[in-house]
């Protein structure tokens, strides 16, 4: 069976074959095109995971701030977990640090959408621009204070 055929029909077997070829330094037998594609995909997945975890963190920080009467240990747990997971991602792949700044605003938009959907408070209640700094969102001690007009969140 051709290597690219194996890639299409049994991905796991293909990965194991590629690992063996790499370990044995059989460079000429590698399925280079698919191997390159898979390595590129891995990098994109790391970036996507960072963006999604930031979005979850933003969403829960917004819920914490704008719905203080409904705060829960579950929200607090999600905030803590996302911070830890982001920290671990950045430790495992320090080259993602610049991407954190690049994706910050997009992640805020994801978090905003989550907060609007889960609180049903209405889009106009939430700040259009991100109210948090990168330092704040990664600070394990930081939790936003309730919004001044928190009567809508109760």
């Amino acid at each position: 069976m051709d290597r690219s055929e194996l890639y299409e029909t049994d991905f796991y077997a293909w990965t194991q074959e590629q690992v063996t070829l790499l370990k044995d330094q059989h460079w000429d037998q590698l399925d280079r095109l698919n191997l390159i594609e898979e390595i590129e995909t891995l990098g994109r997945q790391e970036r996507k995971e960072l963006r999604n975890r930031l979005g979850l963190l933003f969403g829960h920080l917004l819920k914490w701030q704008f719905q203080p009467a409904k705060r829960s240990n579950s929200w607090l747990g999600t905030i803590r977990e996302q911070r830890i997971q982001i920290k671990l991602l950045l430790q495992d792949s320090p080259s993602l640090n610049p991407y954190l700044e690049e994706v910050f605003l997009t992640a805020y938009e994801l978090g905003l959408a989550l907060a609007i959907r889960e609180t049903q408070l209405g889009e106009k209640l939430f700040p259009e621009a991100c109210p948090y700094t990168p330092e704040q969102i990664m600070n394990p001690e930081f939790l936003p204070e309730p919004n001044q007009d928190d009567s809508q969140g109760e």
Side-chain angles (χ1 to χ4, degrees), residues 27-42:
W27 314 121
D28 57 327
Q29 296 177 32
L30 289 168
D31 181 1
R32 289 185 201 96
L33 292 178
N34 287 320
L35 198 54
I36 289 167
E37 181 180 322
E38 290 304 319
I39 292 171
E40 286 175 340
T41 299
L42 287 174

Side-chain angles (χ1 to χ4, degrees), residues 54 57-58 61 83 104 132-139:
L54 276 171
L57 178 55
F58 278 128
L61 289 172
R83 283 180 170 147
F104 199 78
Y132 317 121
T133 66
E135 294 75 24
Q136 286 174 320
I137 65 160
M138 292 310 295
N139 179 349

Side-chain angles (χ1 to χ4, degrees), residues 20-87:
T20 301
L21 292 170
L22 285 165
K23 285 180 180 178
D24 295 342
Q25 299 182 15
H26 293 291
W27 314 121
D28 57 327
Q29 296 177 32
L30 289 168
D31 181 1
R32 289 185 201 96
L33 292 178
N34 287 320
L35 198 54
I36 289 167
E37 181 180 322
E38 290 304 319
I39 292 171
E40 286 175 340
T41 299
L42 287 174
R44 285 191 299 272
Q45 286 174 340
E46 290 287 299
R47 290 167 56 114
K48 184 177 181 179
E49 182 176 354
L50 179 59
R51 184 189 67 221
N52 290 342
R53 289 192 178 279
L54 276 171
L56 277 172
L57 178 55
F58 278 128
H60 281 77
L61 289 172
L62 287 166
K63 287 177 9 175
W64 187 269
Q65 181 175 356
F66 288 89
Q67 255 190 343
K70 294 190 177 183
R71 289 178 178 172
S72 68
N73 284 332
S74 174
W75 288 1
L76 190 57
T78 298
I79 290 168
R80 287 183 178 146
E81 179 186 357
Q82 296 314 309
R83 283 180 170 147
I84 291 167
Q85 293 292 350
I86 291 166
K87 181 178 147 190

Side-chain angles (χ1 to χ4, degrees), residues 57-130:
L57 178 55
F58 278 128
H60 281 77
L61 289 172
L62 287 166
K63 287 177 9 175
W64 187 269
Q65 181 175 356
F66 288 89
Q67 255 190 343
K70 294 190 177 183
R71 289 178 178 172
S72 68
N73 284 332
S74 174
W75 288 1
L76 190 57
T78 298
I79 290 168
R80 287 183 178 146
E81 179 186 357
Q82 296 314 309
R83 283 180 170 147
I84 291 167
Q85 293 292 350
I86 291 166
K87 181 178 147 190
L88 291 172
L89 252 174
L90 295 173
Q91 284 175 351
D92 289 346
S93 300
S95 63
L96 284 174
N97 274 298
Y99 184 66
L100 179 75
E101 293 175 24
E102 181 182 325
V103 75
F104 199 78
L105 296 178
T106 302
Y108 177 70
E109 290 175 359
L110 290 171
L112 182 59
L114 179 138
I116 291 167
R117 182 180 70 246
E118 290 188 3
T119 64
Q120 299 179 357
L121 291 177
E123 190 171 340
K124 291 186 171 139
L125 179 69
F126 295 100
E128 190 175 317
C130 181

